[in-house]
Amino acid sequence: RKEPVRVLITGAAGQIGYALSSLVGHGELLGKSQPVILHLLDIGTATEPLNGLKLELVDSALPLLTDVIATTNLTEACTGVSIAIMVGGYPRKTSMERKDVMAMNGSIYKMHASALEKYACKDCKVVVVANPANTNALILSEFASSIPRKNITCLTRLDHNRALGQVAAKLAIPVSTVKNVTIWGNHSSTQYPDVNHGIANGIGIRDAIKDDDWLDNEFVTIVQQRGAAIIKARNMSSALSAASSVCDHIRDWVHGTPPGHWVSMGVLSDGSYGVPEGLCYSFPVTCQNGDWSIVQGLPIDARSRHKMDDTARELEEERQLAREFLQD
Ligand code: NDP
């Protein structure tokens, strides 16, 4: 039997944590033969639901779940983890400015970075979910400098999966026959869901759908606004799909993407496609041997260039704001 892997979920008592911890226990994160020890972290006010979650996980009698540590102690939560899923953060209330939520979450991510740096495994793989996800990941990478920068990512896989789902629904084909869409940029409404290189049923998505107007307008808006549509329908934000996409993100990163497939991940830019170096930006990536690489050489038309630059500009503004309040 394999040694168990320690997996941290922060903000574990929240909605995404609730769905995610069960998926992890069922082997959706690291595969059906990999035992895990779940480290569930939340803040003092969430102690009761956090303990409740632990009780439910015990009651699920999941063979792969070797142990569950439910804690409000950051050191205990980070000790020995080799996967860290950062879901904890203040939600943006309607009365709050973007910079207010950034300041609050920025200071949390600075603190969590220091704890991961001290207590997590040195090759810990990190995915940030809490918003603003890209900039929180950037802050984390700056304050956890002993963790390789390549190991710090943010989640755009939900947006990627939403794009696959929309193409499949439009063509009435199984989602498994659609691949290689790309989410460029920020996990925000400026993200650019790009189908120009995507494949549906073995042919280009544009040739399969034969409706460029829909692809250039309605499709992009549906993907960008899908989170808001789910809040309207459920009166709560998406949780199951977010949790499921976290599993896809980590599983592909650890076990590799299938030949000929790419996925979208928020990673630190090396300047590829003219994206300013050091921004945490979503790119098309393939994964092999536990490493991701940005897919190179995709032709970029003028319309895409414009959208990729707009979302990069928003991320540069966020980086600037983060620098200002972290200096204070
Ligand atoms: P959720 O579990 O629904 O969401 C958690 C975070 O994920 C939010 O920041 C949310 O951002 C973000 N997110 C990113 N992508 C998505 C997506 N596609 N759909 C939904 N959310 C997404 O929030 P809860 O409020 O239920 O739980 C948060 C937990 O964090 C609570 O248990 C709370 O106690 C904890 N917390 C921890 C803090 C800390 O560690 N110091 C501070 C504050 C809270 P958005 O709000 O923009 O959707």
Side-chain angles (χ1 to χ4, degrees):
R1 194 175 157 90
K2 291 183 183 167
E3 277 296 301
V5 168
R6 291 177 185 272
V7 175
L8 165 68
I9 302 177
T10 73
Q15 304 197 74
I16 296 177
Y18 187 75
L20 180 59
S21 47
S22 168
L23 291 176
V24 175
H26 278 97
E28 296 298 331
L29 188 81
L30 294 171
K32 303 280 183 189
S33 64
Q34 178 58 63
V36 288
I37 297 175
L38 263 177
H39 289 215
L40 305 176
L41 175 73
D42 216 303
I43 49 178
T45 50
T47 303
E48 287 196 24
L50 185 67
N51 288 337
L53 173 60
K54 177 172 175 171
L55 298 183
E56 284 212 69
L57 287 167
V58 170
D59 293 351
S60 302
L62 300 169
L64 290 174
L65 200 52
T66 310
D67 196 6
V68 181
I69 297 166
T71 182
T72 55
N73 180 305
L74 186 55
T75 302
E76 185 185 17
C78 292
T79 300
V81 299
S82 38
I83 305 283
I85 306 169
M86 315 303 285
V87 186
Y90 287 99
R92 179 169 166 186
K93 308 247 167 66
T94 35
S95 57
M96 282 164 91
E97 299 261 346
R98 190 171 60 144
K99 66 177 184 328
D100 299 331
V101 78
M102 277 191 63
M104 289 169 95
N105 284 330
S107 51
I108 293 173
Y109 278 83
K110 189 176 168 187
M111 190 170 70
H112 286 188
S114 310
L116 283 172
E117 165 147 276
K118 280 201 198 103
Y119 304 111
C121 295
K122 289 299 161 222
D123 60 351
C124 179
K125 285 182 161 58
V126 182
V127 57
V128 177
V129 180
N131 282 312
N134 302 56
T135 299
N136 289 340
L138 188 64
I139 293 170
L140 221 147
S141 76
E142 280 179 19
F143 290 94
S145 51
S146 67
I147 297 180
R149 302 192 78 170
K150 272 204 100 172
N151 286 23
I152 296 174
T153 64
C154 83
L155 186 76
T156 54
R157 185 63 177 267
L158 178 55
D159 308 296
H160 179 100
N161 287 350
R162 284 169 172 166
L164 295 178
Q166 287 305 309
V167 169
K170 181 79 175 172
L171 291 168
I173 55 173
V175 74
S176 57
T177 59
V178 186
K179 65 174 188 174
N180 298 356
V181 297
T182 303
I183 303 298
W184 299 97
N186 200 359
H187 171 66
S188 76
S189 58
T190 66
Q191 66 176 256
Y192 170 42
D194 176 6
V195 295
N196 287 346
H197 316 288
I199 307 284
N201 249 346
I203 59 169
I205 288 177
R206 284 194 183 273
D207 292 334
I209 290 190
K210 297 191 186 71
D211 186 349
D212 284 341
D213 185 51
W214 183 82
L215 281 169
D216 292 343
N217 297 293
E218 202 177 330
F219 164 78
V220 173
T221 310
I222 291 174
V223 175
Q224 287 173 339
Q225 302 295 331
R226 189 68 162 183
I230 287 166
I231 293 175
K232 189 158 174 271
R234 263 173 42 90
N235 217 6
M236 283 190 283
S237 53
S238 41
L240 191 62
S241 52
S244 173
S245 66
V246 168
C247 293
D248 292 343
H249 176 109
I250 296 284
R251 199 183 49 242
D252 284 346
W253 189 3
V254 172
H255 291 304
T257 43
H261 285 243
W262 72 66
V263 295
S264 303
M265 278 171 80
V267 299
L268 293 179
S269 170
D270 59 357
S272 292
Y273 295 99
V275 174
E277 225 177 308
L279 286 182
C280 182
Y281 189 98
S282 179
F283 285 99
V285 301
T286 55
C287 304
Q288 220 182 353
N289 303 322
D291 275 329
W292 52 263
S293 347
I294 295 172
V295 175
Q296 298 293 340
L298 297 175
I300 304 295
D301 62 20
R303 190 180 147 275
S304 299
R305 184 72 262 165
H306 187 68
K307 288 178 178 293
M308 287 161 66
D309 291 345
D310 278 353
T311 187
R313 212 167 298 119
E314 183 181 52
L315 283 169
E316 284 185 301
E317 283 167 21
E318 286 188 13
R319 175 165 68 179
Q320 189 53 35
L321 270 176
R323 281 187 177 146
E324 283 164 20
F325 69 69
L326 287 170
Q327 271 164 11
D328 291 343

